[in-house]
Amino acid sequence: MQEYAKKNFEKALQLPMPNKTFAKLKATDDYVALIVRPGLINKHLTSDQLIVLANLEKFGAVKYSAGHSFIVTVHCSHIEQAMEKLTEVNLYVASQTPSALFKCCDFCDGDLLDGLPLAKDLLEQVEQMPLKNRVRIGFNACTQACYNAVQDDLALIFHNGKVDIYGGAIPMGRRASSGHLLLKKVPENQVIDLVKNILGKYNAASIDKFSAFVHKNKTYFDQLQEGGLYDNLEFKSNAASSVNL
């Protein structure tokens, strides 16, 4: 075992950098990168899915990203054909337009499903919601948050029927930081309306970066927390209209 491990490591060090990447292909012709996942919750791949990805790589490129997704580069003339093949084997292709994009954890491979009904409702009502820029939303089914939701633009951490919401993360660069705790113990039945309201206010704001929007509107989140969140619909509309956007 040790001998094979050593050989494996040595070969891995010798592997050349790819000669086909999205940037290189895009520079030569009209290519597009598709965000592809084995599912919105399930993270395991089947043999059929791997075969489809391998066949698509012959005509473009396939890369695994830091966002728990495959980046599949295909020529623009083959987008419909590629999406048909991916869909046939239950691979999920995210929208290419600016929108809300969820990154759910795997619910401990199905062992922790208390938050699944809320996650499904969020995915049905918020996933791919049109926005001026892509907003990455992480959903973690427990406080371990092992899928690093707090590194996403907006993070929803589920625990005992309530959700803590973090926001404003800066995932890259020398100023990189995790998101800040914005709202604590949001009742499950208020989460969807709250997320929609936050995204709507961001979309209407003059600020492009979601992290900047969060940092410059702390009063808004304080008012939501102190005002009992969405228990009072009149407060919701008043608080939203008082935000300095």
Side-chain angles (χ1 to χ4, degrees):
M1 181 67 182
Q2 287 296 101
E3 181 182 352
Y4 283 111
K6 183 178 180 180
K7 289 182 179 178
N8 178 269
F9 178 73
E10 290 174 349
K11 288 183 177 180
L13 288 175
Q14 296 170 6
L15 287 177
M17 294 305 293
N19 55 23
K20 290 195 305 180
T21 66
F22 171 69
K24 291 177 181 178
L25 292 169
K26 181 71 173 175
T28 62
D29 208 337
D30 197 9
Y31 281 84
V32 65
L34 304 176
I35 300 173
V36 179
R37 296 172 176 170
L40 288 164
I41 295 170
N42 176 33
K43 309 302 179 189
H44 289 77
L45 291 159
T46 67
S47 58
D48 288 340
Q49 290 171 339
L50 288 168
I51 289 171
V52 168
L53 290 172
N55 287 333
L56 288 175
E57 190 276 338
K58 295 176 183 177
F59 306 100
V62 176
K63 173 186 177 180
Y64 191 72
S65 76
H68 297 286
S69 305
F70 289 100
I71 308 300
V72 179
T73 302
V74 297
H75 195 274
C76 285
S77 62
H78 296 150
I79 291 178
E80 292 295 329
Q81 183 181 3
M83 289 192 66
E84 181 181 358
K85 291 182 179 298
L86 292 166
T87 302
E88 284 178 353
V89 292
N90 297 322
L91 285 166
Y92 174 72
V93 184
S95 171
Q96 293 303 298
T97 59
S99 61
L101 182 64
F102 270 88
K103 184 190 75 181
C104 292
C105 71
D106 60 4
F107 292 74
C108 290
D109 287 332
D111 290 336
L112 295 176
L113 295 178
D114 289 349
L116 185 57
L118 173 60
K120 285 185 174 180
D121 288 342
L122 280 163
L123 290 167
E124 289 176 355
Q125 297 187 45
V126 182
E127 169 74 2
Q128 300 196 18
M129 174 181 173
L131 299 171
K132 60 183 176 183
N133 289 302
R134 176 163 287 160
V135 174
R136 292 171 172 81
I137 305 172
F139 184 98
N140 282 179
C142 74
T143 55
Q144 291 292 329
C146 62
Y147 269 73
N148 299 323
V150 293
Q151 301 298 322
D152 295 316
D153 295 314
L154 203 62
L156 311 177
I157 312 298
F158 182 88
H159 181 62
N160 289 338
K162 294 186 177 181
V163 173
D164 288 344
I165 299 181
Y166 292 74
I170 303 174
M172 296 183 293
R174 65 187 182 89
R175 300 184 185 277
S177 62
S178 299
H180 301 284
L181 180 60
L182 302 176
L183 301 165
K184 296 188 294 183
K185 297 182 179 180
V186 180
E188 186 173 351
N189 63 355
Q190 297 177 2
V191 171
I192 294 176
D193 284 341
L194 186 55
V195 169
K196 285 182 177 180
N197 186 271
I198 292 171
L199 294 178
K201 295 306 166 189
Y202 161 70
N203 218 29
S206 59
I207 302 170
D208 283 336
K209 288 187 177 180
F210 190 81
S211 58
F213 163 77
V214 171
H215 292 302
K216 292 184 179 181
N217 288 281
K218 291 181 179 179
T219 302
Y220 166 54
F221 295 102
D222 290 342
Q223 287 176 324
L224 288 176
Q225 184 72 66
E226 294 168 4
L229 299 170
Y230 276 38
D231 289 334
N232 187 323
L233 294 179
E234 183 178 356
F235 165 78
K236 177 181 69 172
S237 58
N238 290 339
S241 63
S242 66
V243 181
N244 180 18
L245 299 177

